[in-house]
Amino acid sequence: MDLNLLRVLDVLLQENSVTRAAERLGTSPAAVSRALARLRRAVGDPLLVRAGQRMVPTPRALELREEVGALLRGCENVLRPGTGFDPAHLRRTFTVQATDLLLAGLAGTLIDRLRARAPQVDVVFLPEALEGGPALRQGAVDVELGVLGHLDPEIRTRPLTRVPLVGVARDGHPLFEGRIDARRFAAADHIGISRLGRRLGPIDTALADLGLRRRVAVVVPSHTSAMLLARDTDLVALTVAQWLPGTVSALGLRTFPIPLDLAPLDLGMAWHPRTAADPAHRWFRDHLAASVRALPAPPDGGPRFGAAA
């Protein structure tokens, strides 16, 4: 059935007049009469019958009056734009995919913000095991956070911040006995960080441009394991020092600038467009972005991003 007929029926049952119903609907009495004929055939009841100079509803019409009105109000609610929500009463779990290094610097700030504003919101952090797959498209992840790549074409993104990597080694490492230039940096044995076991990256390209080559003696899947290994060996690792200064010093590590012309890491967030207009999801993304921006700035006051999206 044409659902527009429900609107005609609702007005007819309120007015008990084809002429007045046509005026309210902004159409002609003839069009309303045709709609009434269709309604009579569909319902199997005359609905409105003449009683002298006016029309009166049948018992079946009286039964339908409240039901049709409630049905139309329900349809209007479905099609009405979503109203605002109160974070204080929000009960929801959001799933965020992030590197362990970003998680370590971010999680405490984010959880403090959420507990103060939405104490019933929970967060599940996942490792980057789903990176490069359809996790956002399939709904397995709400937000991907980090260096973005291999995203499905419809995915929405938002830049957040730009951070430099630094070298890190144990406090008594021989590297600290003199000026750390590119040659001495390349001569040290290194720890590679890759979930996929990759040994080469931008550092190797920059060294090759100088005619240098380093040895990646070990490859580990996370920054955390790299720093723990650097603590116990003479291997050199990489980190983002300003996020975890207490952890670096507590592990007996020292950081140093990488003596190469390297671009900083561009960090951002990504989400699927089906959640773009969801007020709760947008609220969570805004707090996630604010938590990233609250991380300590690079020592040189490097640029940050993060305009609302």
Side-chain angles (χ1 to χ4, degrees):
M1 177 186 290
D2 183 356
L3 293 181
N4 289 324
L5 289 176
L6 291 178
R7 177 61 177 162
V8 176
L9 178 59
D10 182 52
V11 176
L12 279 169
L13 296 181
Q14 293 178 45
E15 299 292 342
N16 292 331
S17 167
V18 170
T19 301
R20 290 196 301 272
E23 291 175 354
R24 281 186 55 181
L25 293 168
T27 188
S28 67
V32 174
S33 293
R34 289 193 296 270
L36 177 57
R38 293 178 61 190
L39 286 163
R40 285 167 169 166
R41 290 193 299 270
V43 177
D45 186 271
L47 297 173
L48 292 174
V49 297
R50 288 207 168 271
Q53 297 299 314
R54 61 193 183 95
M55 301 187 77
V56 296
T58 65
R60 176 60 174 152
L62 293 176
E63 292 176 359
L64 292 175
R65 180 181 292 165
E66 292 300 321
E67 185 176 348
V68 170
L71 182 60
L72 285 173
R73 288 191 296 273
C75 291
E76 290 171 356
N77 288 335
V78 168
L79 297 176
R80 182 180 297 121
T83 58
F85 74 103
D86 181 4
H89 296 96
L90 180 63
R91 292 177 177 269
R92 189 157 168 181
T93 298
F94 293 97
T95 302
V96 179
Q97 179 174 284
T99 67
D100 63 325
L101 184 61
L102 184 54
L103 170 59
L106 168 76
T109 301
L110 176 63
I111 297 306
D112 285 346
R113 292 181 66 93
L114 296 182
R115 287 189 178 277
R117 297 163 178 82
Q120 300 301 318
V121 167
D122 299 326
V123 183
V124 174
F125 288 101
L126 295 178
E128 292 182 299
L130 300 176
E131 183 185 18
L136 291 171
R137 176 181 286 178
Q138 293 175 352
V141 170
D142 284 300
V143 180
E144 182 177 330
L145 193 63
V147 178
L148 303 177
H150 308 291
L151 297 174
D152 291 319
E154 76 272 20
I155 297 302
R156 306 281 182 87
T157 62
R158 175 177 174 181
L160 294 177
T161 190
R162 180 176 293 158
V163 294
L165 282 172
V166 297
V168 62
R170 66 177 182 85
D171 192 16
H173 196 288
L175 198 60
F176 295 116
E177 295 175 359
R179 176 176 171 272
I180 303 176
D181 58 15
R183 188 171 298 279
R184 295 189 67 231
F185 175 74
D189 287 343
H190 289 246
I191 302 170
I193 302 171
S194 171
R195 293 177 301 99
L196 302 177
R198 295 194 182 101
R199 302 169 67 91
L200 304 179
I203 285 181
D204 302 279
T205 302
L207 287 172
D209 290 342
L210 300 175
L212 299 172
R213 182 178 179 180
R214 66 170 179 163
R215 178 193 176 201
V216 179
V218 181
V219 177
V220 297
S222 70
H223 288 269
T224 301
S225 55
M227 290 202 301
L228 291 173
L229 185 56
R231 176 195 62 182
D232 299 327
T233 67
D234 276 343
L235 298 172
V236 172
L238 305 175
T239 188
V240 180
Q242 70 266 24
W243 291 351
L244 302 171
T247 301
V248 171
S249 60
L251 289 174
L253 298 170
R254 286 177 60 185
T255 62
F256 60 90
I258 298 175
L260 299 169
D261 185 15
L262 294 176
L265 300 178
D266 288 325
L267 303 182
M269 68 166 63
W271 65 95
H272 195 273
R274 71 171 170 275
T275 59
D278 176 11
H281 201 281
R282 183 183 178 93
W283 174 87
F284 177 75
R285 294 196 309 267
D286 287 343
H287 281 284
L288 188 57
S291 298
V292 172
R293 292 196 300 270
L295 293 170
D300 60 355
R304 287 187 181 271
F305 306 102

